Amino acid sequence: MPVLLPPALELSLDLLRCPTCRTRRLRPDRGALRCPAGHSFDIARHGYAGLLTGTRATSGDDAAMVQARDRFLSTGGYAPIRRAVADLAADSAPERGTVVDVGCGTGYYLSAVLDQLPGARGLGLDTSVRALRAAARAHERAAAATWDVFRPFPLADEAADVVLDVFAPRNPAEFHRVLRPAGRLIVVRPTGRHLAELRSRVPAMVTVDPAKEQRLHRALDPCFEAVVTEQVQYPIDLAEPDALDLVGMTPSARHVSHADLNEDGPLPERVTVSVLVTAYQPR
Ligand SMILES: C[S@@+](CC[C@H](N)C(=O)[O-])C[C@H]1O[C@@H](n2cnc3c(N)ncnc32)[C@H](O)[C@@H]1O
Ligand SMILES: [Zn+2]
């Protein structure tokens, strides 16, 4: 039986452009999205659109990482970050705006933004189908689609009021193309203090390179100007399962075993969460 068009995907259809011919619109047709030239993209029974076809993406979270992230986020450990993102996005977008979350994961941040903007619609993009299964259910106004941030987005020019990028890879030129001139790009990234107590115990958790902030600035500077930056920093108590999930959702450390972690004594019971949240305006 063909999959029905998920209501959130219907809400976002006019944003989408055919990933193959780039300019044509997509229309629903028997469980798929099709462009007038006949290019066709399946709608998965889990509710997301499979826009990324052909060669495989180079990165993306696997099932175990998505589960670890989902469990950790449900503890509320990153709730203050979520609040900061939602507040900034709500200040930046019109009430009936369009929010695109790139590398959306399970849709944790996008759903909070949509809660604050009752007339807005959202679209989450990610390479991970496991993450998108959750993202497609995260909010009644959030659609989800497979996409690789490093390829030209299957989106119309100037379609978005807010682009979110939370701990995810970035494509400044495409962010700029899809944002309206008055729109905002909201980027969340870790500072050097983020989870430092845990990182020092788990060498496979990559330390945050101090030059990273400079690289971000250099990459975004031709297209964007920072409007406001907030530092969100606080301690959290960490039960052992939460520590294991924080490690398990880190690409470089996800294969570290329980035994590896306990080799040097107990894991820290408190860690510092420390991120920067910046809203940028297009140049
Ligand atoms: C650290 S997670 C952050 C997820 C989500 N924004 C959050 O904070 O809960 C990075 C996300 O980027 C996705 N990702 C990795 N490489 C990607 C790519 N090339 N294109 C799109 N998404 C990608 C991963 O699958 C993962 O969901
Ligand atoms: Zn086409």
Side-chain angles (χ1 to χ4, degrees):
M1 214 177 74
V3 187
L4 290 174
L5 183 65
L9 197 53
E10 184 165 15
L11 268 183
S12 284
L13 264 189
D14 65 299
L15 289 180
L16 300 178
R17 291 294 177 268
C18 173
T20 307
C21 53
R22 305 273 295 277
T23 52
R24 295 190 175 93
R25 286 175 184 252
L26 294 170
R27 285 187 213 300
D29 180 17
R30 286 162 292 154
L33 296 177
R34 257 178 256 280
C35 89
H39 302 122
S40 170
F41 306 89
D42 287 343
I43 298 170
R45 70 191 163 85
H46 297 285
Y48 59 84
L51 299 183
L52 189 62
T53 55
T55 44
R56 284 172 123 238
T58 49
S59 50
D61 286 5
D62 61 22
M65 290 170 76
V66 172
Q67 279 159 12
R69 177 176 308 284
D70 201 28
R71 274 194 306 262
F72 177 76
L73 291 175
S74 72
T75 67
Y78 282 178
I81 306 177
R82 189 189 205 207
R83 236 177 348 257
V85 169
D87 287 348
L88 257 188
D91 285 349
S92 309
E95 207 184 304
R96 300 183 62 79
T98 298
V99 183
V100 176
D101 186 355
V102 179
C104 63
T106 58
Y108 179 73
Y109 297 92
L110 179 59
S111 59
V113 171
L114 293 176
D115 275 342
Q116 290 231 20
L117 291 167
R121 59 179 175 173
L123 170 68
L125 302 176
D126 204 292
T127 44
S128 164
V129 292
R130 288 307 186 126
L132 289 171
R133 286 184 188 184
R137 290 194 311 262
H139 197 281
E140 58 182 9
R141 285 175 276 120
T146 56
W147 197 250
D148 180 346
V149 62
F150 299 116
R151 302 192 198 179
F153 298 176
L155 301 176
D157 293 352
E158 300 187 7
D161 297 286
V162 172
V163 170
L164 297 180
D165 185 292
V166 183
F167 302 124
R170 295 176 275 265
N171 184 338
E174 280 296 281
F175 290 170
H176 191 270
R177 180 182 69 79
V178 303
L179 267 173
R180 293 193 223 293
R184 292 286 185 270
L185 165 66
I186 296 178
V187 176
V188 178
R189 69 282 185 196
T191 76
R193 300 193 59 188
H194 187 55
L195 309 179
E197 302 86 346
L198 188 59
R199 281 173 202 281
S200 65
R201 281 290 311 281
V202 187
M205 282 180 95
V206 185
T207 51
V208 182
D209 175 359
K212 211 172 171 184
E213 200 51 32
Q214 226 174 349
R215 276 206 302 276
L216 170 70
H217 178 74
R218 229 179 293 133
L220 290 179
D221 192 55
C223 303
F224 291 98
E225 185 179 0
V227 183
V228 52
T229 295
E230 284 176 26
Q231 178 163 22
V232 183
Q233 184 169 301
Y234 53 93
I236 50 171
D237 292 328
L238 210 57
E240 188 175 296
D242 308 335
L244 292 174
D245 283 338
L246 273 175
V247 174
M249 62 199 237
T250 308
S252 49
R254 64 186 188 274
H255 298 304
V256 173
S257 75
H258 193 267
D260 295 339
L261 282 175
N262 284 289
E263 234 165 42
D264 300 318
L267 288 166
E269 289 174 1
R270 271 201 134 198
V271 292
T272 307
V273 172
S274 177
V275 303
L276 295 172
V277 184
T278 301
Y280 296 87
Q281 65 186 19
R283 289 196 195 276

